[in-house]
Amino acid sequence: MSAVETREGFLPFRDYKTWYRVTGNLQSGPLPLVVAHGGPGCTHDYVDSFKGISALDGRAVIHYDQLGNGKSTHLPDKGADFWTPALFLEELDALLSHLGIRDRYAFLGQSWGGMLGAEHAVLKPEGLKALVIANSPANMHTWVAEANRLRRDLPAEVQATLLAHEEAGTLTHPDYIAASRVFYDRHVCRVTPWPEDVARTFAAMDEDNTVYRHMNGPTEFHVIGTMKDWTIEERLPQIAAPTLLISGAYDEATPEVVRPYRERVPNIRWVLFEESSHMPHVEEKAACLKAVSDFLKEHD
């Protein structure tokens, strides 16, 4: 099989630059797929495997690092008021226009990326022909409640360490980070050691956690950032695009977390990956990529 063509570039966005990469040919025929990473504040690396869809069905797959992350412009001095869903919706619109695909595209968002995708989809953009929401909350209160329910199943000493450091405010202490990792290994990525692309994302977040810290907080279950009260539940019936919902049996995005999507998005189907947590695209890569490809082919 011949290698799939790739090209990278930078999108001028406001006074900054957003990095993107296109795998495949945008003129190939099938719907081009835009992939948005999670966080907020991760990088494209951990969702890199979705580029494999291009080899499966010939569609172009676009990855990008959202502003403040990865290869895009970093803005460590910007405060919480700068980092908003509206900012990232504007960036997405700019990317679609820059690539010339605004009239016809599919969108896949993982975790926070799916929240962004839902915010985009409720606006009923004419060019959005298919939507994939992967491992995403529809309400942050539910997300936190479920994360803390899962946390109560961690070993007692791990729970005690987490609580002690949260009460003391020592959230960067190595013991707190190690205790958090126990949760991550159960409910975020169950492949151990973490694959290189997943580890790269977490290393990048350790290096600059500006966006994650402001919008989310220190960990998945200690959400004190600007997104802490976010919800899209009541607006979900406004989504017109056919939608695929993905989650894992061990996912921090539990069935209760994704239930609003299942119940309120008009044209949706749900695929649950039995051996996965928050990253089926890593944990059950072949099955996940095939499920997404098969869904998208229905809407080409």
Side-chain angles (χ1 to χ4, degrees), residues 3-215:
V4 177
E5 65 177 280
T6 63
R7 65 181 176 92
E8 298 183 25
F10 286 94
L11 155 77
F13 174 60
R14 295 189 178 180
D15 296 327
Y16 318 116
K17 289 184 177 179
T18 296
W19 173 88
Y20 66 87
R21 185 192 65 213
V22 180
T23 303
N25 185 343
L26 286 171
Q27 280 73 49
S28 63
L31 285 168
L33 174 65
V34 177
V35 178
H37 63 71
C42 289
T43 67
H44 80 281
D45 300 89
Y46 83 98
V47 287
D48 194 58
S49 63
F50 282 116
K51 69 187 179 188
I53 290 173
S54 186
L56 283 180
D57 59 26
R59 80 183 63 251
V61 179
I62 299 108
H63 283 78
Y64 70 109
D65 283 332
Q66 295 159 31
L67 188 66
N69 308 294
K71 299 176 184 179
S72 296
T73 304
H74 285 239
L75 297 163
D77 297 330
K78 293 291 187 184
D81 58 338
F82 180 80
W83 305 106
T84 64
L87 169 76
F88 294 108
L89 286 171
E90 182 186 340
E91 181 184 41
L92 173 58
D93 285 342
L95 177 68
L96 296 171
S97 294
H98 182 76
L99 295 175
I101 60 172
R102 175 186 287 279
D103 294 337
R104 185 176 174 274
Y105 61 95
F107 182 93
L108 182 154
Q110 200 279 334
S111 199
W112 145 254
M115 297 157 65
L116 180 65
E119 288 278 8
H120 179 68
V122 299
L123 301 174
K124 292 186 168 68
E126 284 189 21
L128 179 64
K129 305 304 181 186
L131 173 67
V132 183
I133 294 175
N135 324 93
S136 304
N139 185 319
M140 288 301 286
H141 290 179
T142 308
W143 171 264
V144 171
E146 286 292 276
N148 281 289
R149 180 179 66 80
L150 295 173
R151 172 172 157 162
R152 289 193 289 274
D153 291 332
L154 297 176
E157 65 274 15
V158 173
Q159 294 187 57
T161 299
L162 291 170
L163 185 61
H165 286 286
E166 284 164 4
E167 289 179 343
T170 49
L171 303 179
T172 57
H173 192 283
D175 290 349
Y176 184 76
I177 293 167
S180 300
R181 179 65 186 258
V182 177
F183 178 92
Y184 284 59
D185 283 344
R186 286 190 182 193
H187 300 297
V188 178
C189 182
R190 294 170 67 84
V191 178
T192 54
W194 283 348
E196 186 181 335
D197 48 2
V198 175
R200 276 201 308 273
T201 283
F202 281 93
M205 293 176 75
D206 287 343
E207 197 172 306
D208 182 358
N209 70 353
T210 302
V211 182
Y212 187 76
R213 183 180 74 251
H214 283 307
M215 294 183 74

